[in-house]
């Protein structure tokens, strides 16, 4: 398995509170991604990073921000959580060289906003 | 707008049946198409296809890509209950973004 961990794995928070999810990789891959997965919508890209301090928005980026200060860590922040952000969040990594064109996923974080 | 569409949405079959899952796409700057299997956890990688007409095989699973008609199929022969899962199709662009379909839910009945 690709070396990707996510923390926390489960979180319950209240509406209006800030939340930060962490993704950590040991593969030294260049690209990192945050997705959310909801019934009927599949996996939707929130933000992605193509290098340290280089990030870009995905299709559902409103209400989310990201930061990548080190190759191995990619943080997703909900500045003020809303109930519509209740979801399962997956981090993924990929590269663009050798056999690493595939994208590998972390175990996921289940976030509930009450 | 880039999109990936999978069909059928769900499928119920008996053990031993053969199934075909479909994935069509309209994505600019296509680079590759990927198939994943998702049981009640993170998606796990199955295949990556970049060239038309070259079938990828892994045991009872196989997949092929048609870049002219913009679709791919995933075949599973002699299905087993362990094949029950959601199968996801994704397209990678040259800009290294990934677009996912909503998946096909496969249930294999003993």
């Amino acid at each position: 398995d690709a070396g990707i961990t996510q923390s926390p794995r489960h979180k319950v928070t209240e509406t209006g509170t800030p939340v930060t999810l962490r993704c950590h990789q040991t593969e030294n891959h260049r690209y990192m991604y945050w997705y959310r997965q909801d019934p009927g919508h599949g996996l939707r890209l929130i933000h992605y990073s193509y290098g340290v301090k280089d990030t870009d928005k995905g299709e559902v980026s409103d209400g989310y921000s990201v930061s990548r200060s080190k190759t191995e860590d990619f943080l997703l922040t909900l500045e003020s959580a809303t109930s519509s952000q209740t979801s399962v969040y997956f981090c993924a990594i990929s590269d663009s060289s050798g056999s690493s064109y595939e994208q590998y996923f972390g175990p996921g974080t289940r976030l509930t906003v009450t | 707008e880039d999109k990936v569409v999978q069909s059928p949405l769900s499928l119920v079959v008996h053990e031993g049946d053969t199934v075909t899952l479909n994935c069509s796409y309209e994505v600019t700057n296509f680079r590759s198409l990927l198939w994943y299997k998702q049981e009640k956890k993170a998606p796990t990688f199955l295949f990556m296809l970049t060239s038309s007409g070259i079938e990828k095989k892994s045991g009872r699973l196989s997949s092929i890509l048609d870049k002219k008609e913009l679709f791919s199929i995933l075949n599973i022969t002699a299905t087993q209950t362990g094949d029950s899962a959601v199968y996801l199709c994704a397209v990678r662009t040259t800009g290294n973004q990934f677009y996912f379909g909503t998946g096909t839910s496969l249930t294999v009945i003993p």
Side-chain angles (χ1 to χ4, degrees), chain B residues 7 14 33 38 45 47 49 59-60 64 77 83 86-87 95 102 110:
Chain B
S7 64
H14 292 278
L33 186 143
Q38 186 175 27
F45 172 78
F47 295 112
L49 304 113
R60 296 176 293 102
I64 197 161
T77 60
D83 295 326
V86 174
Y87 290 83
T102 53

Side-chain angles (χ1 to χ4, degrees), chain B residues 21 23 33-36 46-49 51-66 71-76 89:
Chain B
L21 310 183
C23 175
L33 186 143
L34 300 92
W35 284 97
Y36 291 85
L46 293 174
F47 295 112
M48 183 180 73
L49 304 113
S51 302
S52 281
I54 298 176
E55 186 181 32
K56 292 270 184 116
K57 297 192 77 170
S58 176
R60 296 176 293 102
L61 277 67
S62 64
S63 183
I64 197 161
L65 172 67
D66 186 328
F71 77 90
S72 173
I73 59 173
L74 175 68
N75 280 319
I76 308 175
C89 171

Side-chain angles (χ1 to χ4, degrees), chain A residues 23-43:
Chain A
C23 177
H24 179 79
Q25 61 147 328
T26 57
E27 304 296 322
N28 200 36
H29 281 4
R30 177 181 175 188
Y31 299 94
M32 298 185 76
Y33 307 80
W34 276 109
Y35 293 91
R36 60 178 290 174
Q37 188 172 37
D38 306 287
H41 289 279
L43 282 156

Side-chain angles (χ1 to χ4, degrees), chain A residues 18-100:
Chain A
V19 176
T20 295
L21 308 183
R22 180 179 183 244
C23 177
H24 179 79
Q25 61 147 328
T26 57
E27 304 296 322
N28 200 36
H29 281 4
R30 177 181 175 188
Y31 299 94
M32 298 185 76
Y33 307 80
W34 276 109
Y35 293 91
R36 60 178 290 174
Q37 188 172 37
D38 306 287
H41 289 279
L43 282 156
R44 292 182 292 172
L45 181 65
I46 305 171
H47 283 278
Y48 69 103
S49 170
Y50 45 95
V52 173
K53 297 191 186 330
D54 292 323
T55 65
D56 208 347
K57 296 178 180 180
E59 63 177 309
V60 290
S61 59
D62 287 348
Y64 302 95
S65 62
V66 290
S67 66
R68 191 170 179 199
S69 58
K70 298 186 289 185
T71 299
E72 56 266 36
D73 290 324
F74 193 32
L75 303 180
L76 176 71
T77 297
L78 291 66
E79 301 290 348
S80 177
T82 67
S83 58
S84 65
Q85 294 175 312
T86 292
S87 187
V88 178
Y89 291 84
F90 287 104
C91 174
I93 63 173
S94 74
D95 215 326
S96 56
S97 61
S99 62
S100 299

